[in-house]
Amino acid sequence: MNTVVPRKQQKRSLPYILLLPALAVCVCLQLGIAALVPQGFLAALISLFKAPGYASYPYNTSMQVTLFSSPTMLYAGTVPDSFALRTGDGTAVQKVPERLFAVYKDILYTSTFTADLQGGATLLRALSESDGKLLWSYSFENLNNVQLVDGILYLNKAETWQQQGLLQALDPESGRLLWQYQCSSQDCYVGSPQALNGTAYVEVQESAASALLALRISDGSPLWRVASYADSIQPLLTTDRLLMQTSSDTVTSYSAIDGRLLWQKRLSPANTGRLRTISNGSVCIIQTSTALYALRLDSGSLLWQWQGSPTGIKLSDTEVYLAEPAGLLALNASSGQKMWQQAYPSWAASSAKTTSADQGNTILGASNGMIYTLVKGDQNGFAAYALFAFRAVDGQMTWQHRFTLATGPGISMPPGEQSIVAGSDMEALLVGNSVYVISYLAVTTILPVHFTISLTSALSSFFNTTTFTLTAQSIDAQTGNVRWHTQQVEQFHVA
C-alpha cells in the first residue's frame, strides 16, 4: 500500500532534512576538539546521545550565592565568577573566575569542583585581593568541605570511597599543612570543626558509634572525646560549654574545657528527627519537629514550651523571633509569652508555603530597633523573594521589597532557539545600617543542533551561550531606600 505525503507535511519536513548536514558537522567538530583533549573524548562521545536541550553542570556544583563582607567590601561567591564590590557604591573592584568562599588578611580563597569520567577534584586557590596574584593552589580529590575558622583552613576529606575520614588543617597564608587527623576505622566520616580558646571540636561518625572529639588547634592532638548521636546536627558551642544531641530525644551539655558532663535533658514527646539548638548565653532554645523547648543554659531546667515548627529562629537577650510561612512571631525569651504577631502580605505567605524549611523564611537579624526577614518562595515558575523590616517593639512593618527571578525554561527567545535557566538564587546580608541583596541568574541559549552544558568542560561550543547576570543592591536598613544598584553581565560559551 502506497502512502501519499501531503505537500504541507513535505514542506514542514524540509527544514529538518537541512538540519542533518549541520548536525553532522557539529558532531565532527566536537569529536575533533575532544581529540585534542583526551580526557574529554569519552565524555564527548557520551554527550552525543543526550537529548536536545539537556543541561548538565558538574556534580555537586552549588548554584547558591555565598555572601559575606568586610568593613569596606562586599563579597559575592557565585558560579562561574565571584566579585568583590565596594560597599560605598557597589563598584566591582575585583573579579575572581571561581567560587569565593572566604577572605582573610587581604587574601581571597576560592574553590572549584571539576568532574570527568574518572572522578572529580576540587581546586583550592589563594589570591592576593589587591592584584589577583596567585599565592598558592592545591588540587584535592574526595574533598567534602573546606572552611576558614579562626585563621585556620580546615579540609574534610574522604581518603577512599569507603569514607575513611580525614581532617586537615592548613596555614591560610602559605597553604602549608599544619596537622591532620584521620579516623582509625575504614567506614568513618569527620565533620566540620568549630573552634574556641585553642580547641577545635569535631564530630566523628563511624558505622558502630559516633563521638564528639576535642583537638588541640596548635598540633591536632586529641584532648578528649564523648559519645554523640549519629543522626545529629553540629553541636552548639557557647562561651564555656557544648550543647549536643545524644539520643533521638535527649540533649546533653558538656564542658568545653574538659568534656565533663554538666546536665542532661530528655524532651517529651520523643522526637525522631534532628534537634536544632540556639542560645543567647543564658537561655537555649531546642527545636524538634513539632515543638520548641526553652531551657536554662546553666542547669537545663525547662522554662517554657511552644508547639509549632518555625522555618527560622532568632534569639536576642530578651526576645525570641520565629519565622513562619504566614508571618513573624515574637515571644518573651524568659517566659515564652507572645509579645506580638505580624502577618506577611498574602502573596508572600502563599509563595513561602511552597518552600521547604531549609530554603524558606530566614531571619537576617536585628538592628536599629528592627528585625529583618527574607522570604523565599515560588510563583508560576519564578522564584518570589521578599525582604521585610518590622519594628522590634510591636511588630509593625516599616518597609518591604519584592524580587522575582526565573527558575524554569519559560523565557521567550528568538525562533529556533531554546533557553534554560541553569541557575538562580538570591541572598541578603544585614550589616549595621545596611542590607545588601545579591541575586544572580544564569540563562543558557541553545540552538536546536546539539547541546550539552558544562561550566568546567574542556570543550567549547559555538552553539550554546550562557548569559550570567549578577545584581547587587544596598538598602538603607532604617528607611528601606535603595542606596545603590549595580549589575555585572557576562556571556560565555559552554559545551
Side-chain angles (χ1 to χ4, degrees):
M1 179 178 179
N2 296 327
T3 303
V4 179
V5 180
R7 288 191 176 185
K8 288 185 178 180
Q9 185 174 338
Q10 290 176 339
K11 292 181 179 180
R12 197 183 307 122
S13 302
L14 186 59
Y16 293 96
I17 296 175
L18 295 177
L19 281 177
L20 292 177
L23 179 60
V25 172
C26 176
V27 171
C28 293
L29 282 174
Q30 220 170 16
L31 290 176
I33 297 172
L36 300 177
V37 188
Q39 65 267 26
F41 186 70
L42 290 177
L45 285 175
I46 293 175
S47 72
L48 295 176
F49 294 94
K50 293 179 179 178
Y54 178 82
S56 63
Y57 281 82
Y59 174 72
N60 255 358
T61 296
S62 173
M63 290 297 173
Q64 292 185 324
V65 175
T66 303
L67 189 59
F68 50 98
S69 70
S70 69
T72 59
M73 301 296 293
L74 179 68
Y75 304 96
T78 58
V79 172
D81 293 328
S82 299
F83 292 89
L85 308 174
R86 201 158 49 210
T87 55
D89 56 11
T91 301
V93 178
Q94 184 79 273
K95 183 180 80 170
V96 182
E98 289 159 359
R99 175 175 290 279
L100 180 68
F101 69 89
V103 179
Y104 178 72
K105 291 186 176 180
D106 300 324
I107 301 176
L108 306 177
Y109 298 92
T110 67
S111 65
T112 304
F113 180 80
T114 57
D116 55 28
L117 295 180
Q118 284 73 43
T122 300
L123 176 66
L124 296 184
R125 301 207 307 166
L127 309 169
S128 171
E129 185 174 8
S130 59
D131 56 11
K133 179 183 178 182
L134 178 64
L135 302 179
W136 57 263
S137 67
Y138 290 114
S139 181
F140 300 91
E141 293 185 355
N142 303 324
L143 183 63
N144 295 325
N145 186 40
V146 57
Q147 62 179 359
L148 182 69
V149 181
D150 282 359
I152 301 292
L153 274 174
Y154 292 98
L155 283 66
N156 303 83
K157 295 178 61 180
E159 280 297 290
T160 67
W161 292 113
Q162 285 74 36
Q163 295 291 299
Q164 185 177 5
L166 177 68
L167 176 68
Q168 292 184 324
L170 273 61
D171 172 43
E173 297 185 64
S174 65
R176 177 175 56 90
L177 177 66
L178 300 175
W179 53 264
Q180 66 180 28
Y181 172 83
Q182 190 166 19
C183 290
S184 57
S185 61
Q186 190 74 8
D187 186 14
C188 177
Y189 172 77
V190 182
S192 299
Q194 300 181 78
L196 179 68
N197 298 329
T199 303
Y201 304 91
V202 296
E203 281 195 292
V204 178
Q205 296 184 2
E206 301 174 339
S207 57
S210 298
L212 176 68
L213 182 65
L215 304 173
R216 184 180 289 114
I217 288 181
S218 59
D219 57 11
S221 58
L223 298 175
W224 51 264
R225 65 187 293 158
V226 294
S228 66
Y229 181 56
D231 191 30
S232 64
I233 62 173
Q234 191 176 51
L236 174 66
L237 177 63
T238 65
T239 54
D240 62 348
R241 65 192 60 208
L242 287 150
L243 196 63
M244 56 188 294
Q245 182 177 1
T246 51
S247 74
S248 62
D249 60 354
T250 303
V251 176
T252 304
S253 177
Y254 294 101
S255 167
I257 299 174
D258 54 14
R260 177 170 42 90
L261 175 66
L262 300 177
W263 54 261
Q264 198 167 57
K265 182 70 175 181
R266 185 173 183 181
L267 307 177
S268 179
N271 178 74
T272 57
R274 295 182 172 186
L275 305 182
R276 301 177 184 271
T277 57
I278 187 173
S279 173
N280 62 4
S282 58
V283 176
C284 61
I285 304 295
I286 314 298
Q287 181 182 7
T288 73
S289 58
T290 59
L292 297 182
Y293 296 86
L295 310 178
R296 284 178 55 108
L297 187 60
D298 58 355
S299 64
S301 59
L302 180 66
L303 295 175
W304 51 268
Q305 181 178 338
W306 183 83
Q307 291 299 122
S309 183
T311 60
I313 303 177
K314 178 68 177 180
L315 178 61
S316 70
D317 291 338
T318 55
E319 290 86 27
V320 182
Y321 300 100
L322 307 179
E324 299 179 304
L328 188 66
L329 176 66
L331 306 177
N332 182 279
S334 299
S335 64
Q337 181 180 359
K338 184 169 74 172
M339 300 174 59
W340 52 260
Q341 188 169 12
Q342 180 63 255
Y344 294 131
S346 58
W347 62 266
S350 61
S351 64
K353 290 178 181 178
T354 65
T355 311
S356 66
D358 292 335
Q359 299 174 331
N361 306 357
T362 301
I363 301 178
L364 301 178
S367 180
N368 313 300
M370 291 192 284
I371 186 84
Y372 303 89
T373 64
L374 175 66
V375 177
K376 292 186 177 184
D378 182 73
Q379 285 185 337
N380 302 322
F382 286 82
Y385 300 93
L387 191 61
F388 295 99
F390 302 93
R391 292 202 324 181
V393 64
D394 56 11
Q396 180 181 344
M397 186 186 303
T398 59
W399 56 262
Q400 61 177 298
H401 282 276
R402 186 176 181 178
F403 313 86
T404 57
L405 288 174
T407 58
I411 297 180
S412 60
M413 300 300 296
E417 296 183 357
Q418 181 181 356
S419 69
I420 291 179
V421 177
S424 66
D425 187 32
M426 193 190 88
E427 296 296 338
L429 179 68
L430 173 66
V431 182
N433 195 37
S434 299
V435 180
Y436 299 106
V437 180
I438 297 287
S439 64
Y440 94 96
L441 180 66
V443 178
T444 299
T445 304
I446 303 173
L447 289 175
V449 211
H450 174 65
F451 352 98
T452 55
I453 307 170
S454 175
L455 289 177
T456 57
S457 173
L459 304 178
S460 62
S461 171
F462 299 103
F463 302 103
N464 305 337
T465 301
T466 292
T467 301
F468 173 86
T469 304
L470 181 84
T471 303
Q473 297 183 55
S474 174
I475 299 174
D476 187 294
Q478 289 184 317
T479 64
N481 295 331
V482 177
R483 289 173 173 156
W484 51 256
H485 180 283
T486 63
Q487 259 191 355
Q488 314 296 327
V489 180
E490 297 180 294
Q491 283 193 338
F492 53 93
H493 293 289
V494 291

